[in-house]
Amino acid sequence: MRLLLVRHGQSEWNAARRLQGQADIGLSELGRSQADALRPVIDRIGPCRAISSDLQRVEETARRIGSTTPRLIGALREIDVGDWTGRAIDDIRAEDETLYQGWRAGTTSPPGGEPWATFAERVSAVIEDERRTPCRNLLVVCHGGVIRAILQRYVGIDPAHIIPVAPASLSALRLGNGKLPRLELFNYLPDSLEFGAPD
C-alpha cells in the first residue's frame, strides 16, 4: 500500500499565522487555488479510495483534488493545541519559545493540549485499520501534524527532524509486503518549491 499524504490548502488562520489545532477553519482563496493545482497530480496517480479529516479545510481540499466522497474520520484531526487555539504563533513564541519549540518537537504540550504520544497513537490506529483492506494508493487528506505523526510511526523520523509540510503538498509512503516502510516523496508541490515552511 502507498499512502498519499496531502496536507490541506492554506486556511484563513494559516494566512494569519494563528494556530488552529482542531478549530474548524475554512480555506483561504489561496488555499483553494493550491488544492486545485494539486488535482491533476492526484488524478494521474489514481487513488483507490480516500480518507479525510472531518474538518472543513481538509474536506474541501479533498473535494478540490478530486475525491468527491472521502470517508471522513474524526481521528485524523490535527493535534489539539488547547489554550493556544486561535493564538498568533509570534505571540506564543514571544511568551515561551522553549515551550513552543518543545511542542514542535513533540516533547511538550500546550496548556490544555493533547500530548504528542496520544495524538500519534490515534493517527496510527487509523492507518493500521486502513491497511486491513487492500488498496494500492490510499489518499489521506489531513493536517501537517498528522503527516509528521505518520512519518514518525512508520519511518522513525522524530517530529523535531521534520519541517512542517507546505499547504496542499503531497508526500508518499510505501508500506507492506514484508519490507520496511519507505518514504517515496516529501513535501511535493506541483508548481513551486517550498523551502520556507514556518516553524
Side-chain angles (χ1 to χ4, degrees):
M1 173 183 284
R2 176 180 290 113
L3 303 180
L4 304 170
L5 306 171
V6 173
R7 184 185 176 192
H8 61 81
Q10 183 196 70
S11 73
E12 295 288 353
W13 281 13
N14 290 145
R17 291 197 37 80
R18 295 169 66 189
L19 278 187
Q20 295 167 115
Q22 297 187 5
D24 200 7
I25 309 303
L27 293 178
S28 67
E29 283 304 315
L30 175 59
R32 292 183 183 97
S33 65
Q34 289 169 333
D36 292 344
L38 189 59
R39 181 174 184 152
V41 176
I42 301 302
D43 285 345
R44 283 196 301 273
I45 296 170
C48 51
R49 66 177 186 269
I51 59 175
S52 167
S53 162
D54 62 350
L55 297 180
Q56 63 176 312
R57 60 189 180 270
V58 184
E59 184 180 358
E60 182 176 357
T61 298
R63 286 188 284 104
R64 286 184 172 272
I65 64 174
S67 178
T68 55
T69 55
R71 187 158 61 86
L72 304 180
I73 301 175
L76 284 177
R77 287 184 178 192
E78 183 61 280
I79 193 168
D80 184 344
V81 295
D83 293 352
W84 287 357
T85 301
R87 292 195 58 201
I89 292 172
D90 289 344
D91 291 347
I92 295 167
R93 294 182 74 169
E95 192 174 277
D96 194 332
E97 178 71 14
T98 301
L99 181 59
Y100 178 81
Q101 292 302 332
W103 170 70
R104 279 288 186 202
T107 58
T108 61
S109 302
E114 182 177 19
W116 177 266
T118 302
F119 167 64
E121 184 56 39
R122 75 167 156 86
V123 168
S124 298
V126 172
I127 301 304
E128 287 303 299
D129 186 55
E130 290 298 320
R131 291 179 75 182
R132 295 186 181 98
T133 305
C135 178
R136 182 172 180 189
N137 293 310
L138 175 66
L139 180 60
V140 182
V141 190
C142 55
H143 305 268
V146 171
I147 293 170
R148 286 155 64 114
I150 289 170
L151 292 178
Q152 181 188 43
R153 165 67 172 81
Y154 292 100
V155 293
I157 306 174
D158 286 333
H161 297 284
I162 307 171
I163 63 166
V165 294
S169 64
L170 171 64
S171 298
L173 187 65
R174 190 179 297 185
L175 305 176
N177 297 340
K179 295 180 180 177
L180 291 173
R182 291 171 289 171
L183 182 61
E184 293 185 305
L185 183 69
F186 181 71
N187 205 25
Y188 170 80
L189 295 168
D191 54 6
S192 63
L193 294 172
E194 176 58 73
F195 291 117
D199 246 340

